[in-house]
Amino acid sequence: MVPLGVAARWRRPAAAPGEGSRRAWGGEERPAMLRASLREVSAALKERRVTATELCQSCLSLIKSTKFLNAYITIAEETALKQAEESEKRYRRGQPLGVLDGIPIAVKDNFNTAGIETTCASNMLKGYISPYNATVVQKLLDQGAVLLGKTNLDEFAMGSGSTDGVFGPVRNPWSYSRQYKEKSVPKSCSEDEESNWVITGGSSGGSAAAVSSFTCFAALGSDTGGSTRNPAAHCGVVGLKPTYGLISRHGLIPLVNSMDVPGILTRCVDDAAVVLGSLAGHDPKDSTTIQDNFKPFELPNLTDVSKLSIGIPKEYRAPGLSSEILAFWSKAADLFKNAGAKVIEVSLPHTHYSIVCYHVLCTAEVASNMARFDGLEYGHRSDMNKSTESMYAATRREGFNDVVRGRILSGNYFLLKQNYENYFIKAQKVRRLIANDFVKVFGSGVDILLTPTTLTDAVPYMEFIKEDNRTRSAQDDILTQAANMAGLPAINVPTGLSERGLPIGLQFIGRSFQEKQLLTVAKWFEKQVKFPVMELEVKRHDHGAFQHQKSASFS
């Protein structure tokens, strides 16, 4: 079993999500409705206790007052208010489109949105407006969701901190919480929150921060090696990576085609199930999606876990895993055991090779996918006109940052004729072994795997940037990327607070296409740990971190 290590403590929240109270935000009272669950808000809209326009305006106001977080790149205020108005009309007619009708949501800026700029936080796509919506975006709009805007990320989703995009780093809302401020001791009198703020994780840090700070009820991220679950853990929200092929990738600007999955970020597990029900299913525009019809489900309230078998992979006690997270992991295992579940240690023997294997396959596919950005058809185009070749080279030099160019170079090296067999093909074979490890474990009777999501809690930005992107990504993806290579569903569930007052999350990994079982177990665990509500203490910030923010509307 996992050693106990440092004793972990479950902390009871000041108020559970949806309970009728009001919370302070920078001295200004915000309605409790902004932190209610999706179903609670949907019921309130039906009962006319709040209108879609009021809800939208509250979120837009909060986005403006928290612009220092840098969570959003583009705000679609005009469009959002029009969508809210249309939603109101449907509610007045008694014909809402579904649970998401009138619900404010946000979308990571690597999903195509018709009429709204899609930048991937890169100079390469500044000014690019897609002629179509990504399938997942269209499905949300068809359900009546209100799109508030596009969220910040690492350039082309290459990173684990949301610090490497051209619009600047995203700040973790917990940096401004009472819990963190009480535990954070400045190293000098001159040091303040401007130098002590912590990262969100990445690359979907903008979406995680948007959900965590109550500016929207749900957000889309993307998950290639943990890019939804990692920031979810650091920002204290739920982050779901569905089974590969359950949700369409059409319109998601690709990073690694064989691993990319649209991710879902919400404040509770039930909300993740609601959004999943709206997005999952076959898409004729994406040949990798399942052919079978997907039936949305409502999660049951699990009361008996005695028939569950929970696996604890011993290889996930990785170098660098903090004693605090180890303690929470052990506490969680004991929680299941004491409730009657069977908790057993299991082995995934090829886990040690997974991060190296992931790096080879990731960069190889990146090199292929980034070839489309040549300045000839869309996106940035250099003024260099000596020749086609010089224009092409200058465009990519000006459009991509060092991180993207570095991954392209690595990927092309692995794909060279003399290296192809030794790197790319060998990595594909190891990937199969990694996937087979999971097959064997689940075939032995294990229902769910329980692991840490991250090695530590969120680190201060100034500390994070001391190491290069590649080193940080290798460290931060080590516990999450294996699920992507195996195509399995996985979810981060906020579990407790570290000694520094920052969120810690644990990861549950399930069998392919068994999202209902995975989410049901995650919901049970969520109810047991009672993750605390963030108590924000935000003052006015006018340091210009958000001057890039743009307004947009659908054409």
Side-chain angles (χ1 to χ4, degrees), residues 177-375:
S177 69
R178 180 191 60 79
Q179 292 98 321
Y180 177 62
K181 288 182 178 181
E182 286 182 352
K183 301 293 180 67
S184 179
V185 180
K187 295 178 181 178
S188 65
C189 296
S190 61
E191 186 181 61
D192 58 17
E193 62 189 29
E194 289 308 310
S195 60
N196 206 33
W197 59 272
V198 298
I199 62 162
T200 57
S203 62
S204 306
S207 290
V211 173
S212 177
S213 59
F214 305 98
T215 61
C216 65
F217 289 87
L220 292 183
S222 60
D223 197 310
T224 306
S227 290
T228 293
R229 289 159 287 156
N230 176 287
H234 287 324
C235 292
V237 297
V238 171
L240 171 65
K241 171 219 165 303
T243 304
Y244 183 84
L246 185 61
I247 296 181
S248 173
R249 294 181 296 111
H250 175 69
L252 167 60
I253 295 176
L255 178 64
V256 181
N257 300 67
S258 67
M259 301 184 208
D260 291 343
V261 179
I264 298 168
L265 293 130
T266 58
R267 287 192 289 274
C268 67
V269 176
D270 262 325
D271 287 358
V274 171
V275 178
L276 178 67
S278 299
L279 301 181
H282 177 66
D283 179 13
K285 296 176 182 177
D286 180 1
S287 61
T288 64
T289 52
I290 56 170
Q291 297 297 316
D292 299 333
N293 290 327
F294 178 84
K295 293 183 179 180
F297 51 79
E298 190 168 336
L299 295 179
N301 289 312
L302 187 65
T303 55
D304 181 14
V305 297
S306 61
K307 295 180 182 179
L308 278 178
S309 178
I310 306 295
I312 309 295
K314 63 181 181 181
E315 289 82 7
Y316 277 64
R317 189 182 179 186
L321 185 67
S322 75
S323 58
E324 281 186 296
I325 291 184
L326 184 62
F328 274 107
W329 187 18
S330 179
K331 179 82 171 182
D334 290 341
L335 188 65
F336 278 100
K337 187 176 181 180
N338 293 336
K342 182 181 179 182
V343 179
I344 57 172
E345 183 177 84
V346 298
S347 178
L348 300 167
H350 295 95
T351 298
H352 298 302
Y353 308 106
S354 63
I355 192 65
V356 178
C357 174
Y358 172 77
H359 174 71
V360 173
L361 296 177
C362 175
T363 55
E365 291 198 43
V366 162
S368 175
N369 281 321
M370 294 296 110
R372 74 192 67 194
F373 301 106
D374 53 15

Side-chain angles (χ1 to χ4, degrees), residues 384-457:
M384 178 71 70
N385 56 11
K386 289 182 180 180
S387 67
T388 301
E389 289 77 12
S390 62
M391 184 278 291
Y392 183 88
T395 293
R396 291 166 70 80
R397 182 176 64 251
E398 295 166 9
F400 294 137
N401 68 6
D402 291 341
V403 173
V404 177
R405 290 199 299 270
R407 293 203 190 189
I408 292 171
L409 286 170
S410 296
N412 281 321
Y413 175 81
F414 296 138
L415 293 173
L416 287 173
K417 184 177 180 180
Q418 62 267 35
N419 296 332
Y420 187 75
E421 290 283 341
N422 289 331
Y423 289 98
F424 185 74
I425 296 300
K426 188 175 288 185
Q428 291 283 33
K429 292 178 179 178
V430 175
R431 180 179 184 179
R432 173 55 59 193
L433 294 174
I434 293 167
N436 286 342
D437 285 346
F438 285 100
V439 171
K440 290 176 183 176
V441 166
F442 287 125
S444 70
V446 170
D447 297 304
I448 300 288
L449 294 174
L450 170 63
T451 79
T453 307
T454 58
L455 293 173
T456 66
D457 59 4

Side-chain angles (χ1 to χ4, degrees), residues 10-33:
W10 307 118
R11 293 175 171 83
R12 188 173 184 83
E19 288 182 1
S21 61
R22 300 171 68 88
R23 69 183 297 101
W25 182 287
E28 186 179 349
E29 290 295 323
R30 296 289 175 186
M33 193 64 70

